[in-house]
Amino acid sequence: MWSRMEQFEQIRRDRDREGLSIRALAERHGVHRRAVRQALASPLPPAKRSPLGRPAPRLGPYRPLIDAWLEADREAPRKQRHTAKRIWRRLVDEHGAEVAETTVRDYVRGRKRAMGWPVGEVFIPQVHDPGVGAEVDWGEAEVDLAGVRTTIHLFFMRPSFSGAAFCQASLVETQQAFLELHVEAFDWFGGVFEQIRYDNPTSAVKRVLRGRRRVESDRFVALRSHYLYAAAFTRPGIEGAHEKGGVEGEVGRFRRNHLVPVPAFATMAELNALLLAGCEADLRRRIVGRAVTVGEAWAQERPLLRPLPADPFDAADTATPRVDAKSLVTVRQNRYSVPVRLAGLRVSVRIGAREITVSHSGTVVARHERLQGRYGTSATLDHYLELLERKPGGLQHSLALRQERERGGWPGCFDELWAALTVRYGGSEAARQMVDVLLLSREHDPGRVELAVQGALAAGAHDGRAVAVLARRADATGQPSPPLEQLEPRLAVHARPAPDLTEYNELIGAAQ
């Protein structure tokens, strides 16, 4: 069977040798006269026109859904809108669609142009040696955090050779967060790059001088000295962004693929766990124009990194505040609770970007998630239990109890027990017994105490002592408590054999 090119050739030969008419040539070769005229006009067949308006039946049922996603993107953050690839991925993963990515791309391209979306940028490809360079940048995204739409800051470190990016989120873009996330990134990569490129962040650069000269902050120099890598800085402004295009593109790509649509999380820890899982999953992707996956390229690069120092860099600040009369310490204009026994004493505080750790006499006595902003208070109910033993009436309206409820650490069955105790004993005694129940969590696992409360309610034993008996009887798996052994001699003398009820049973039998 002839190709169209060969068919044109034969038509031209027959016309040249035999002088046949257009009609005769059309009948001989079984083509339309229009095709004969085209062959006689040029030896090259005209390019085929792309079909217009093809129905794409497999995509048909999903077109309204795609349109809805694109319409919803009008209200979404500018940098967290759907790309054609993300739409195709969601159709396949969430709706089981059997449709080609190119089909989705063609449809989305047309819809976006009709909606006035801007055309994408053009980038210059780069070549890098393994283990030599990496790039760092901050990005932003929006998430629903504990039910509130929140702007988060995304820290990225991306090797220029492999593209195996590390990403974690922070509520603030401070120097302390910047340094701590460097430490986490180096730990995740398992080594240190020879050079890291930055875009003049204030966390690292105090002043930009002429050319490439910079006045760097002392804390950043200490970090660089600890890990012994070199720092390079881009030109200020938009021109400098093109000097680290790898991480600039990574910020947008990662955000579109892992944070679209806007996700919801209960805590920052949950968010960062998802981001880290996304980093691991992205090792399986293949960058356009590369023969190997990101993970395979990273396997080549990883052995070439500088080994980590024996000890990680300590990015935390320290303070030694005094505990006030409410058992709170003030750190950076926010207050955090400590055990009441430390009231009036000075304690040591380690101030991290995410966590506040309080120590006394070398022992950690409190940990709090660091508060953002000013004049906030973080209180832990356990820190006040000794005081509440003496003042149980302060439990109901305490700040620590309210925050325990907000954090989800106060089970609903505790309120049921409290209400039953109030009916039976009155408010004051009920509060005292609830404090006793809370103190059980120092002896037993909190889950075990919760099960004991549920058991007491189920049995109708509305008493704090019943909860204590149940908590000590069995652990959360239902196994009985081990027998007491190796008692002190002064207690062992009181040991008695188990009572024999034989005579009692005989007496009952005779009475009947």
Side-chain angles (χ1 to χ4, degrees):
M1 182 178 180
W2 288 348
S3 67
R4 189 166 176 79
M5 184 74 73
E6 293 170 331
Q7 190 177 54
F8 269 42
E9 179 190 18
Q10 194 59 42
I11 290 173
R12 292 169 65 85
R13 287 186 184 278
D14 291 349
R15 176 60 175 259
D16 181 67
R17 292 173 181 174
E18 303 179 35
L20 297 176
S21 66
I22 292 177
R23 180 185 296 274
L25 289 170
E27 291 176 353
R28 174 178 290 186
H29 293 282
V31 297
H32 196 277
R33 283 170 291 177
R34 180 176 58 251
V36 174
R37 292 190 183 95
Q38 291 174 345
L40 297 179
S42 172
L44 299 176
K48 287 187 177 182
R49 292 181 298 175
S50 299
L52 301 176
R54 293 184 62 179
R58 289 186 180 274
L59 182 65
Y62 303 105
R63 288 178 179 176
L65 179 60
I66 296 173
D67 291 348
W69 287 346
L70 294 177
E71 284 296 332
D73 277 352
R74 293 186 184 277
E75 304 298 326
R78 182 178 64 85
K79 296 182 178 181
Q80 284 176 260
R81 295 172 179 168
H82 288 81
T83 60
K85 182 174 183 178
R86 178 58 176 160
I87 288 176
W88 171 73
R89 192 71 265 168
R90 289 190 67 188
L91 290 176
V92 173
D93 294 343
E94 300 176 17
H95 300 274
E98 296 181 358
V99 59
E101 183 179 355
T102 54
T103 302
V104 176
R105 285 186 180 278
D106 291 343
Y107 180 75
V108 171
R109 184 183 300 111
R111 291 297 300 144
K112 283 193 171 183
R113 287 186 181 276
M115 296 171 68
W117 297 117
V119 179
E121 297 181 50
V122 180
F123 300 96
I124 301 175
Q126 302 274 305
V127 177
H128 301 277
D129 294 326
V132 175
E135 298 168 344
V136 163
D137 198 12
W138 284 102
E140 286 188 355
E142 291 188 6
V143 299
D144 291 331
L145 189 62
V148 178
R149 181 60 59 90
T150 305
T151 299
I152 59 168
H153 303 271
L154 300 173
F155 173 90
F156 286 87
M157 182 179 290
R158 180 184 186 273
S160 301
F161 173 76
S162 64
F166 168 87
C167 174
Q168 286 286 268
S170 172
L171 288 173
V172 293
E173 196 174 313
T174 61
Q175 184 187 61
Q176 198 164 34
F178 182 74
L179 300 177
E180 286 187 7
L181 289 167
H182 269 77
V183 175
E184 293 182 22
F186 290 140
D187 287 343
W188 190 77
F189 286 119
V192 183
F193 303 93
E194 291 184 16
Q195 184 186 76
I196 299 179
R197 186 174 294 275
Y198 304 89
D199 60 352
N200 308 293
T202 55
S203 301
V205 176
K206 293 195 293 185
R207 187 168 49 172
V208 177
L209 303 178
R210 186 184 298 274
R212 300 285 178 168
R213 296 170 57 213
R214 304 289 185 270
V215 178
E216 301 171 41
S217 68
D218 291 341
R219 294 281 287 163
F220 176 71
V221 172
L223 172 79
R224 200 177 61 207
S225 175
H226 184 86
Y227 289 103
L228 295 177
Y229 71 91
F233 299 97
T234 65
R235 290 175 295 168
I238 190 64
E239 297 85 1
H242 299 299
E243 297 181 16
K244 56 180 185 62
V247 73
E248 292 280 351
E250 179 65 26
V251 172
R253 186 205 65 80
F254 192 95
R255 183 169 45 213
R256 290 189 297 270
N257 283 273
H258 300 289
L259 297 174
V260 173
V262 177
F265 303 95
T267 64
M268 283 293 293
E270 183 181 331
L271 165 60
N272 278 319
L274 177 135
L275 295 178
L276 210 56
C279 297
E280 299 284 352
D282 285 347
L283 294 176
R284 297 190 293 271
R285 74 185 184 95
R286 190 187 303 273
I287 297 175
V288 176
R290 297 191 181 184
V292 297
T293 65
V294 171
E296 291 168 341
W298 172 240
Q300 302 174 33
E301 186 170 29
R302 168 66 187 86
L304 302 177
L305 301 186
R306 176 189 296 275
L308 291 171
D311 299 313
F313 180 75
D314 187 1
D317 289 336
T318 58
T320 55
R322 188 181 297 277
V323 183
D324 66 17
K326 294 183 179 179
S327 197
L328 299 170
V329 293
T330 301
V331 179
R332 304 289 170 83
Q333 296 183 297
N334 289 306
R335 300 193 298 174
Y336 304 87
S337 69
V338 299
V340 293
R341 69 177 186 275
L342 300 176
L345 302 178
R346 285 200 177 274
V347 293
S348 299
V349 179
R350 188 175 184 274
I351 309 168
R354 302 173 185 170
E355 186 179 63
I356 299 292
T357 306
V358 185
S359 302
H360 181 69
S361 299
T363 302
V364 175
V365 295
R367 292 183 187 275
H368 293 270
E369 182 177 342
R370 183 172 176 180
L371 299 175
Q372 306 305 324
R374 299 185 296 173
Y375 312 126
T377 302
S378 175
T380 300
L381 187 56
D382 182 74
H383 293 161
Y384 295 92
L385 293 183
E386 288 87 356
L387 183 59
L388 288 170
E389 280 188 292
R390 305 197 310 271
K391 300 179 179 181
L395 175 62
Q396 185 172 4
H397 299 291
S398 65
L399 174 64
L401 175 58
R402 172 171 293 187
Q403 293 190 352
E404 200 73 24
R405 294 182 192 275
E406 293 172 351
R407 288 191 289 262
W410 182 266
C413 61
F414 280 26
D415 283 325
E416 296 179 37
L417 177 63
W418 198 343
L421 290 172
T422 302
V423 171
R424 183 173 182 182
Y425 296 108
S428 180
E429 176 62 18
R432 188 191 65 78
Q433 292 199 29
M434 284 305 301
V435 173
D436 291 340
V437 170
L438 294 173
L439 284 167
L440 290 173
S441 295
R442 294 185 175 180
E443 303 176 33
H444 312 286
D445 181 77
R448 178 173 172 178
V449 176
E450 183 178 349
L451 287 174
V453 171
Q454 293 173 356
L457 290 170
H462 302 154
D463 194 291
R465 289 163 293 189
V467 176
V469 170
L470 291 174
R472 294 179 179 121
R473 177 181 297 175
D475 59 19
T477 61
Q479 298 297 322
S481 300
L484 295 176
E485 298 178 351
Q486 299 180 351
L487 294 175
E488 296 183 14
R490 63 186 182 85
L491 298 178
V493 296
H494 298 289
R496 294 290 185 271
D500 187 358
L501 301 181
T502 303
E503 295 181 359
Y504 177 75
N505 292 334
E506 292 176 354
L507 179 60
I508 295 298
Q512 294 176 349

